[in-house]
Amino acid sequence: MNELVNKWYRNHALIYKLLLLLGTTFFIVYLFPKTGKFRYSFEKGKPWQSETLYSPFDFAIKKSNEQINQEVELVTDKSEVYFDINSDIKRNITDSYLPKFNSVFKDSVSGFEDRVLLYSTGQNALKDLYKYGILNSVYNYEDSKDVILVENNQEIDKIQFGDLIEQNQIRPYLEKLLEQNKLEKYKDDFVSMFFNLIETNVSFNKSLTDSALEEALANVSPTRGIVSEGTLIISKGQVVEDNQFNVLNSLKSEYESQVWSSKSYNWVIVAYTLLVALALLMLLLFLRKYRASVFANNTKVTFIFFNILVMILLTTLVINYNSQYLYVVPLCILPLVLKAFFDARLGLFAHVLTVLLLGFIVPNSYEYMFLQIIAGIVTILTVSELYKRANLFISVGQITLIYIIAYFAFFVIHEGQIFTIKWSTFGLFVLGGLATLFVQPLIYIYEKLFGLVSDVSLLELSDTNTALLKELSNKAPGTFHHSLNVANLAEASANEIGANAMLARVGALYHDIGKMKNPTFFTENQSTGINPHDELSATESASVIINHVLDGIEIAKKNNLPDRVIDFIRTHHGTSTVYYFYMKGKASNEDAKEEDFKYLGPKPFSKETAILMMCDSVEAASKSLKSPTNTKINEFVENIISKQVESGQFLNADITFKDIEAIKKVLKLKLANIYHLRIEYPE
């Protein structure tokens, strides 16, 4: 049992990665559609490249969306509308007409003949107005639209909408009627009487109209004809024309939407799981072979898998909502984020794998994968310094332009012309480009969640106005000046060999912050000429010097410096010996042990930390140079770095002899410039 527990403990990191692989795989497969994929690819107007295709089963030929929309529009236009009519209103108004007429047109007001004619004109007007009815509102229907009149839920008449009277038609009708009968002088009283008399008696019945429309739309068939099993669909080499294109699309849709048996469903799940697991396994193998430091860190591996999962989840949600917005998903954020925290090669590799996985679920998968992979490559090539805002905006513009150019080319290939291109799609690319700008706040969030460090944070830490560096300049000004010099040397050296120059500079700025605890014990801060080491033994002095590394780590952690920066504090002396005090101790005590005068390490384990060790030693020792010349400087640099190489300080660092020689060259040149003597000016 103990052996099993020990084995588990020794391999817990590998077991975690295996569980992470399985968990991510199952979640991605859960997001994927659970149907088969149509095995053939085809384009309208292009030859059929696969073998001759026969129908594998009976299926219906589906109408295009345009055809269905046309039929729906036609049915909607022809569908009858229902109006409620109230016959009681007509009877009541007819009965009240005579009293109303008598009260308005008395014998003293009009002559007998005019009065008779007015009365009959009013009666005729009422008959015409209420022949079918007066609408209670304005409705936007054609005059030829069929209308069903309903009273008490019973159909009583079928007319056209133009037969009904709208309220704004009443006044012109009455005025025209009076004019025909030469009764214009009574117009005001007559019209006023009618408007006080008549009421609307026809109103729209929405429920019956909607029910009739739904019933009519339900009869619109989404298909047109049946293709029987074994029927020839298309021969090899035949051009895919409109008819074949519609049939092939119908077969593809039927194939991917058919109901699967439990046995087939399980096989589809297994197949998806194998493919997704294979892709993610390739990522782990890449990390293990080419990014061992990342592979060894479970947090970083989790971070990479998490970002891939987020991109797949976002894309799946957009496709389920509306696949037209597919290119709004800022997939190029993935390589940007991974490049910011790791490197370009890892970012591109993860991006390509993610695009391959998304190819299972997106429409027009080849076009999508081509566009996204090209965009990912452009992202990696163009975004060199993410902490510079202008660079990010320029790169986003370039990415958007690449999307537009590639989409335009694909559209011309598919359609053979540009007149029907959907310009709104270009707007989606612009939105996707703007969404990519969210990478800046996203990097900040990731830094807090996963404890990672990007170039953006390094830029902030490189500011000498930060509280910690200000404190260093106040308490230990000599050390602060030394750190600035080392930072300049380290940055130049890192640029020379292709290392992370910003990281090397920041590490150099903070590598000696531990000297703030006892600043006067270090010669660069002894401005008074008093040396506290004169009162200490060699062992005690060495202990104070060695402890500045431990003090620096403690101060860095209290000030929440990233681990990548603390690594520089921890390793900048490696396991070297405090040689001056060791020789001093040896002189007073022959039994003095060298181990008591050694730094605790560890040794540098990256190019950047190795660069700092070289630059720190050379810059500190250069203060002892008297009458420096080019020859002295060259020998001086060679001696210091050669001793570090011989003592094995760079065995754990990923640095070559070629890199070391390049760094020596930079240091010699920089020191020669620093110690260059000016000509003496006459007074």
Side-chain angles (χ1 to χ4, degrees), residues 553-593:
I553 294 172
E554 182 181 351
I555 292 171
K557 289 184 176 178
K558 284 182 179 178
N559 286 272
N560 297 317
L561 288 185
D563 289 338
R564 290 175 76 184
V565 177
I566 296 176
D567 288 339
F568 287 87
I569 302 172
R570 188 181 288 114
T571 63
H572 74 278
H573 284 295
T575 57
S576 60
T577 303
V578 186
Y579 194 71
Y580 175 81
F581 290 109
Y582 172 60
M583 296 307 295
K584 182 179 177 181
K586 196 80 170 172
S588 60
N589 180 10
E590 293 183 358
D591 296 329
K593 297 179 181 179

Side-chain angles (χ1 to χ4, degrees), residues 195-216:
F195 274 101
N196 290 328
L197 178 67
I198 61 176
E199 296 179 28
T200 61
N201 68 331
V202 177
S203 59
F204 181 65
N205 190 319
K206 187 175 186 305
S207 60
L208 287 178
T209 302
D210 289 346
S211 298
L213 180 59
E214 288 177 7
E215 184 178 349

Side-chain angles (χ1 to χ4, degrees), residues 162-450:
D163 296 331
L164 295 171
I165 302 297
E166 295 181 350
Q167 295 180 52
N168 58 3
Q169 296 174 332
I170 296 176
R171 176 180 288 274
Y173 168 76
L174 293 175
E175 291 176 350
K176 184 178 180 181
L177 194 62
L178 291 172
E179 184 181 353
Q180 290 174 349
N181 292 302
K182 298 180 180 180
L183 297 171
E184 294 95 332
K185 61 182 179 179
Y186 303 106
K187 180 178 68 173
D188 292 340
D189 292 336
F190 190 82
V191 171
S192 175
M193 177 193 71
F194 258 83
F195 274 101
N196 290 328
L197 178 67
I198 61 176
E199 296 179 28
T200 61
N201 68 331
V202 177
S203 59
F204 181 65
N205 190 319
K206 187 175 186 305
S207 60
L208 287 178
T209 302
D210 289 346
S211 298
L213 180 59
E214 288 177 7
E215 184 178 349
L217 291 176
N219 294 325
V220 176
S221 174
T223 62
R224 54 171 186 84
I226 298 291
V227 176
S228 303
E229 181 179 355
T231 302
L232 174 65
I233 296 177
I234 192 168
S235 302
K236 184 174 181 179
Q238 184 179 352
V239 175
V240 180
E241 297 178 349
D242 286 342
N243 187 46
Q244 287 89 353
F245 185 75
N246 291 336
V247 173
L248 287 169
N249 270 330
S250 300
L251 177 60
K252 179 181 178 181
S253 177
E254 184 69 23
Y255 189 87
E256 293 183 350
S257 64
Q258 61 182 286
V259 179
W260 291 78
S261 65
S262 59
K263 183 178 179 181
S264 299
Y265 179 86
N266 292 336
W267 277 112
V268 171
I269 295 296
V270 170
Y272 271 135
T273 303
L274 288 175
L275 292 175
V276 174
L278 186 63
L280 296 179
L281 180 61
M282 293 302 103
L283 178 59
L284 284 180
L285 292 176
F286 173 86
L287 293 176
R288 184 176 182 182
K289 185 172 179 63
Y290 297 106
R291 300 292 181 270
S293 60
V294 177
F295 182 80
N297 190 319
N298 283 341
T299 301
K300 293 181 179 178
V301 176
T302 304
F303 174 75
I304 295 170
F305 275 66
F306 173 77
N307 275 277
I308 292 174
L309 198 58
V310 166
M311 287 298 137
I312 293 175
L313 176 61
L314 282 177
T315 305
T316 306
L317 291 175
V318 170
I319 289 175
N320 290 338
Y321 173 71
N322 190 338
S323 61
Q324 290 183 348
Y325 300 115
L326 179 61
Y327 289 103
V328 175
V329 179
L331 201 63
C332 288
I333 281 182
L334 179 61
L336 277 176
V337 168
L338 296 184
K339 183 182 179 181
F341 288 112
F342 305 109
D343 60 81
R345 190 175 177 187
L346 174 56
L348 182 59
F349 191 88
H351 176 73
V352 171
L353 284 181
T354 305
V355 172
L356 291 176
L357 291 175
L358 289 173
F360 290 118
I361 60 174
V362 297
N364 301 321
S365 57
Y366 176 77
E367 177 182 331
Y368 175 84
M369 290 190 292
F370 185 92
L371 261 65
Q372 294 294 4
I373 290 175
I374 291 295
I377 293 172
V378 172
T379 302
I380 292 298
L381 293 177
T382 57
V383 183
S384 55
E385 295 172 319
L386 192 60
Y387 55 85
K388 294 183 179 179
R389 290 172 294 180
N391 283 2
L392 181 59
F393 278 96
I394 293 171
S395 297
V396 166
Q398 292 172 334
I399 294 166
T400 305
L401 180 62
I402 290 298
Y403 272 129
I404 291 173
I405 292 174
Y407 172 78
F408 177 81
F410 268 107
F411 185 88
V412 173
I413 290 172
H414 291 161
E415 302 296 330
Q417 45 84 23
I418 63 172
F419 303 107
T420 59
I421 195 168
K422 296 181 179 178
W423 299 103
S424 59
T425 307
F426 295 157
L428 299 180
F429 291 135
V430 174
L431 289 177
L434 294 176
T436 307
L437 296 175
F438 183 69
V439 70
Q440 284 280 19
L442 187 64
I443 286 174
Y444 177 79
I445 295 170
Y446 279 155
E447 287 177 337
K448 300 305 178 185
L449 289 178
F450 292 91

